[in-house]
Amino acid sequence: MSTRSILKDKSGRESVRNVVESCSHKYQLVGLPETNEPSNRAPRTPSRAANTSNRAPRTLSRALTRPSRAPQTQIARPLIHPSTHKYINKFTDSHNHPSSRIQLRLKLIASGEGERVLCGITGYINWHKDVRSERQTVEKMAETLMHRGPDDSQIWLGQHVAFGHKRLSVVDPAGGKQPMTKQKNGSNCTIVYNGELYNTEELRTELKKRGYTFQSTSDTEVLLTAYLEWKEDCLDHLNGIFAFGIWDGERDQLFMARDRLGVKPLFYKEGGGQFIFGSELKAILAHPDVEAEVDRSGLAEIFGLGPSRTPGHGIFKDIDELRAGHALTFSKNGLKRWRYWNVKSMEHEDNEEDTAAQVRELFVDAVQRQLVSDVPVSAFLSGGVDSSAITAIAADYFKKQGKDPLPTFSVDYEGNDQHFKKSKFQPSSDQPWVQKMAAFSQSDHHDEVISGGALADHLKESVTLRDQPGMADIDSSMLWFCRQIKRHTTVSLSGECADEIFGGYPWFHDPSTVGGDGFPWMRSLDSRIDLLHPEWQKKLDLKTYVHDRARETLEETPRLTGESKEEAKRRELFYLNIHWFMAQLLDRKDRMSMGASLEVRVPYAEHKLVEYVWNIPWEMKMAGSREKGILRKALEGVLPDEVLYRKKSPYPRTFQPEYTSAVVKWMDEVLADPDSPLFGFMNREKIAAIVKSEGKEFKDPWYGQLMRGPQLIAHLCQIDYWLRKYDIKVNE
């Protein structure tokens, strides 16, 4: 048996709680507490902090003290795998408990609270034919998303609509499957959904008051019922991360939406009376009417902006991404898209003390809500302030709930203690700080160390998971790391997005980038252009393309009347970061974690926190003249001062000679191939010079702070692999 978690109750006796996994790893059982035991549910959102100018300093315990929520309603007894039944009987018979018998309330992770953990969605609408005979088509599309939900596949077919859903199958009550259909006034609505609602119980309570009943405990049913009540306005009531589609039988219409910050992905292709969608591009490419075709704009994305993408661009010809905070409908009247959420610029009225208190309230609430799960939860821990804050709050919450220590995970590279090279962007190694935080939080810490060979071995798979060339070993290490975490837990919390919303990156502090044009994390454009053949330099016109994409986003920035020119420019920079750099990191985290069938949650991307921090003036964000100063101030008493005021260090990169040798060897093979598709676009001799110097010939980071040297070589290899693997057809 892989996992058995036993906790003690108040009397000191052992009680079954948390998770028992069957030896097959396919079936996970959740033992919930007796009704007279404390609830595990996260607290409700606290009210706005009162003026704190005269109150005593806040402590972590005070920040985390909240009333508990009521226990959830028990669902019908599920069908359980026989091997799991045998283990439960043996397990429960061998442990004493204060009650007359141990009551295990078993929930379907794939349809109850855990149903939202792992899934992928796909489907299509075609007004010109009856698609009910095309089960194999949608099954093939859904199968491409197997990694997002490896154990179960469900299909739903209507006259003009086909839905597919992949999920993790644990136990199997009929009421929890997707696609899910619910009826109101004789009309059916059917949903496919990927995501998680953090206000499920609040919504369920409100909807019950309005006369609705529920057949399951799943947030899927709550979301579908919210649509029945409020139609498209249901989005105003949702707090969570999601991408979903709802077929409204009464309206003969598809409604789709994506969460406010774009944590969950969604792509689509529309034209000729047909609409095809999927959680990932590969699902759309699996439809027989779609080719892996790329036009000039797609090539400009790869060579001019990669590994990022323009918001809404799907790389492949005529494929779009539904942007973060957007929704759409598709009916016989055509496609309609709209933005339902954006940050709003307004005067910030709180003083520094009140601001720090409110940031703390919002952040603590976001972390605690995202700890709610019926499967094991862990946290990424790098020793930086962002992940350390999540760890400290989560570990404290676990202790108060009487749970085992919080599992935490860090990643490092084999031999990096010998090969690490200090730089402006990476001033110190993470490991000493990781150990300090693990000791401080008393977490169950796991140091995961990846070899250079394993790092290189995952480069190709990371391209397939992204459906485009990615961030080289920054991706492959994340994929490997998530697989190590998945061996222990199913859900993990990570610290992405703090730097984007609080201003932690170097370019926020450089006057030349604050007032400049373009993307400050990508100063390699001239060098990128120089690597292309002259004809492609002319065809793609990357300078114009990249400049126009940046300008389009900057022009969207919500303005504040009366703001100084400098503040207005800085606001633009924050907006650019949220919609580009942060979006690309969230994209990476989703694909690599889903490639490991691991659900990763990002508390800093909680929209209420983002909305509040958006309007904090720069001087206040820089409280104490430190980057992310207001966040650090908000976390005083939560973290040790030495961690709280550690200088920012990004996600670790490798300095392993073994990895450099592996990617150089790979590119040598590409160079030796006369049919390499890469050199249809790029100059072979110039790439050879870069390889000969092990990347030192290319002076600027290709992207961000770390993609240089061997990382650049690996990225170019990934471009070649992508062109081959997807058999890309170029449409000029």
Side-chain angles (χ1 to χ4, degrees):
M1 199 56 52
S2 61
T3 303
R4 189 181 70 188
S5 181
I6 308 295
L7 301 178
K8 294 183 186 254
D9 61 20
K10 291 180 180 178
S11 65
R13 297 185 178 94
E14 291 180 330
S15 63
V16 181
R17 202 140 160 199
N18 283 4
V19 178
V20 178
E21 293 184 9
S22 75
C23 55
S24 69
H25 297 286
K26 290 186 177 181
Y27 294 86
Q28 292 180 325
L29 302 176
V30 180
L32 298 181
E34 298 280 3
T35 55
N36 61 347
E37 290 183 324
S39 168
N40 276 347
R41 300 297 295 178
R44 297 181 186 275
T45 307
S47 59
R48 176 68 182 269
N51 188 292
T52 59
S53 56
N54 296 318
R55 71 184 181 192
R58 297 172 57 81
T59 64
L60 179 58
S61 296
R62 284 187 64 196
L64 303 185
T65 302
R66 303 283 192 278
S68 297
R69 293 182 182 175
Q72 290 182 287
T73 304
Q74 183 175 349
I75 65 169
R77 180 177 178 82
L79 302 173
I80 305 169
H81 192 276
S83 65
T84 306
H85 242 318
K86 181 179 179 181
Y87 177 72
I88 296 170
N89 293 336
K90 179 180 178 182
F91 180 72
T92 55
D93 289 345
S94 64
H95 289 82
N96 295 322
H97 193 270
S99 64
S100 59
R101 57 189 283 271
I102 296 178
Q103 179 183 2
L104 288 178
R105 275 175 287 170
L106 305 177
K107 290 191 174 183
L108 173 65
I109 294 175
S111 77
E113 284 300 311
E115 177 249 343
R116 57 206 182 201
V117 170
L118 299 169
C119 54
I121 65 174
T122 189
Y124 60 98
I125 288 86
N126 192 318
W127 297 120
H128 301 309
K129 62 179 178 178
D130 190 328
V131 303
R132 285 174 290 189
S133 63
E134 299 185 359
R135 173 175 287 271
Q136 287 186 338
T137 296
V138 72
E139 284 178 343
K140 181 182 177 183
M141 294 168 67
E143 198 61 27
T144 66
L145 303 174
M146 183 174 67
H147 54 283
R148 299 187 74 91
D151 295 333
D152 192 26
S153 182
Q154 296 295 329
I155 305 300
W156 176 82
L157 298 167
Q159 183 177 1
H160 297 293
V161 57
F163 279 176
H165 187 263
K166 294 293 294 185
R167 67 173 183 173
L168 175 67
S169 179
V170 186
V171 283
D172 195 20
K177 291 185 178 182
Q178 287 192 56
M180 178 183 287
T181 298
K182 194 161 184 173
Q183 189 178 90
K184 181 181 180 182
N185 299 330
S187 296
N188 289 336
C189 287
T190 301
I191 187 172
V192 280
Y193 161 58
N194 170 30
E196 167 137 27
L197 297 185
Y198 301 133
N199 63 336
T200 300
E201 294 311 311
E202 290 94 329
L203 281 175
R204 193 194 311 275
T205 300
E206 175 62 28
L207 290 164
K208 281 183 176 180
K209 290 178 182 177
R210 294 170 180 258
Y212 293 92
T213 58
F214 294 88
Q215 303 303 311
S216 75
T217 59
S218 83
D219 63 342
T220 305
E221 188 179 2
V222 170
L223 174 52
L224 181 54
T225 308
Y227 175 79
L228 293 177
E229 174 64 18
W230 295 300
K231 296 300 182 184
E232 289 84 353
D233 290 340
C234 69
L235 296 170
D236 297 334
H237 299 266
L238 306 182
N239 181 341
I241 53 178
F242 50 81
F244 65 84
I246 296 176
W247 177 255
D248 189 323
E250 181 180 22
R251 295 178 170 184
D252 236 16
Q253 173 182 282
L254 174 70
F255 169 55
M256 303 201 80
R258 192 170 174 215
D259 65 78
R260 294 167 179 86
L261 276 302
V263 178
K264 292 299 179 183
L266 187 58
F267 298 89
Y268 66 91
K269 183 179 191 295
E270 183 266 334
Q274 184 167 240
F275 183 95
I276 307 168
F277 70 89
S279 292
E280 297 179 14
L281 289 161
K282 58 178 63 66
I284 299 173
L285 293 172
H287 191 282
D289 293 343
V290 182
E291 284 190 279
E293 188 175 5
V294 178
D295 59 17
R296 289 188 185 184
S297 73
L299 292 172
E301 294 282 322
I302 296 296
F303 293 111
L305 292 167
S308 61
R309 282 184 292 105
T310 300
H313 201 296
I315 302 294
F316 296 92
K317 187 175 184 293
D318 297 328
I319 297 181
D320 294 312
E321 174 191 50
L322 184 60
R323 290 185 58 182
H326 282 65
L328 64 80
T329 57
F330 181 70
S331 68
K332 290 178 180 177
N333 294 323
L335 177 67
K336 176 187 175 184
R337 290 174 297 195
W338 70 94
R339 168 175 256 153
Y340 70 88
W341 180 87
N342 198 4
V343 288
K344 296 179 181 179
S345 296
M346 59 187 70
E347 291 286 349
H348 184 76
E349 297 178 350
D350 294 343
N351 62 32
E352 188 174 296
E353 291 295 325
D354 288 351
T355 298
Q358 181 67 358
V359 167
R360 183 169 177 149
E361 293 278 2
L362 291 168
F363 179 61
V364 168
D365 183 67
V367 173
Q368 290 184 339
R369 283 179 178 269
Q370 294 185 31
L371 288 171
V372 175
S373 177
D374 292 336
V375 293
V377 180
S378 63
F380 287 52
L381 178 59
S382 70
V385 65
D386 307 333
S387 65
S388 295
I390 293 171
T391 293
I393 293 166
D396 187 84
Y397 182 76
F398 269 41
K399 291 172 190 174
K400 285 184 169 60
Q401 295 293 314
K403 295 185 176 184
D404 284 343
L406 173 75
T408 54
F409 295 84
S410 63
V411 63
D412 202 2
Y413 301 94
E414 192 176 86
N416 252 21
D417 54 340
Q418 304 166 24
H419 305 298
F420 178 80
K421 298 174 184 177
K422 182 177 178 180
S423 71
K424 178 176 73 171
F425 294 131
Q426 223 165 1
S428 62
S429 174
D430 286 339
Q431 281 309 301
W433 303 94
V434 167
Q435 299 308 319
K436 289 178 190 292
M437 268 309 301
F440 174 79
S441 63
Q442 299 180 327
S443 68
D444 175 17
H445 188 68
H446 305 255
D447 285 312
E448 304 293 349
V449 181
I450 184 171
S451 69
L455 195 60
D457 289 343
H458 284 74
L459 286 168
K460 290 181 179 179
E461 186 180 0
S462 65
V463 173
T464 305
L465 289 169
R466 271 198 181 223
D467 297 308
Q468 71 175 91
M471 295 181 73
D473 55 84
I474 308 298
D475 282 357
S476 64
S477 64
M478 180 62 71
L479 173 59
W480 180 90
F481 184 36
C482 287
R483 284 184 171 148
Q484 310 318 302
I485 298 173
K486 174 61 178 173
R487 293 165 53 202
H488 304 272
T489 71
T490 306
V491 175
S492 199
L493 272 61
S494 183
E496 274 85 359
C497 305
D499 287 309
E500 286 81 5
I501 67 172
F502 286 99
Y505 292 120
W507 46 81
F508 283 106
H509 308 272
D510 184 344
S512 67
T513 57
V514 171
D517 295 323
F519 302 102
W521 52 83
M522 197 183 73
R523 296 306 190 192
S524 59
L525 185 55
D526 288 341
S527 300
R528 288 174 180 240
I529 293 169
D530 186 59
L531 293 179
L532 294 175
H533 291 308
E535 62 267 31
W536 282 110
Q537 291 182 18
K538 183 177 180 180
K539 288 177 182 178
L540 299 183
D541 189 11
L542 291 184
K543 277 200 172 180
T544 300
Y545 187 86
V546 172
H547 177 270
D548 287 349
R549 301 294 81 76
R551 178 181 49 78
E552 288 167 358
T553 303
L554 294 173
E555 289 177 352
E556 287 182 3
T557 307
R559 308 295 174 181
L560 180 61
T561 303
E563 194 168 46
S564 71
K565 184 177 179 180
E566 183 181 1
E567 280 296 310
K569 282 288 186 182
R570 187 169 275 112
R571 192 178 290 275
E572 288 180 348
L573 183 56
F574 272 100
Y575 194 79
L576 197 69
N577 270 262
I578 289 172
H579 288 276
W580 282 83
F581 202 79
M582 188 169 97
Q584 129 70 21
L585 292 181
L586 289 172
D587 197 62
R588 159 187 173 246
K589 181 57 67 70
D590 174 83
R591 301 308 189 284
M592 299 307 111
S593 62
M594 287 289 96
S597 297
L598 175 75
E599 170 82 2
V600 176
R601 302 173 182 174
V602 279
Y604 290 103
E606 210 286 336
H607 75 276
K608 293 180 181 177
L609 178 63
V610 173
E611 287 171 345
Y612 184 74
V613 175
W614 170 255
N615 287 303
I616 298 175
W618 178 246
E619 291 75 14
M620 199 177 289
K621 281 181 176 145
M622 285 285 291
S625 300
R626 295 294 304 265
E627 86 278 355
K628 297 188 292 190
I630 195 65
L631 176 62
R632 297 176 195 271
K633 185 177 180 64
L635 296 172
E636 288 176 353
V638 176
L639 298 176
D641 283 353
E642 57 186 334
V643 175
L644 184 61
Y645 293 105
R646 179 193 174 193
K647 184 173 175 57
K648 174 179 169 51
S649 188
Y651 182 85
R653 61 171 283 194
T654 180
F655 296 89
Q656 297 162 306
E658 180 187 4
Y659 174 72
T660 301
S661 297
V663 297
V664 166
K665 180 182 178 182
W666 184 9
M667 182 52 83
D668 281 340
E669 293 171 355
V670 174
L671 285 163
D673 182 359
D675 298 321
S676 165
L678 178 67
F679 300 116
F681 304 98
M682 304 189 95
N683 184 293
R684 190 183 297 264
E685 288 71 30
K686 290 180 179 179
I687 300 300
I690 291 173
V691 175
K692 186 176 181 180
S693 69
E694 296 186 344
K696 299 181 182 68
E697 180 80 11
F698 197 89
K699 303 301 182 184
D700 301 310
W702 185 266
Y703 182 87
Q705 304 167 71
L706 304 178
M707 278 189 69
R708 61 184 357 148
Q711 285 75 28
L712 170 59
I713 295 171
H715 178 69
L716 296 175
C717 289
Q718 287 184 317
I719 295 176
D720 181 82
Y721 177 75
W722 176 74
L723 291 165
R724 296 173 191 258
K725 170 78 175 178
Y726 287 77
D727 192 19
I728 300 296
K729 177 183 177 182
V730 177
N731 184 321
E732 297 184 40

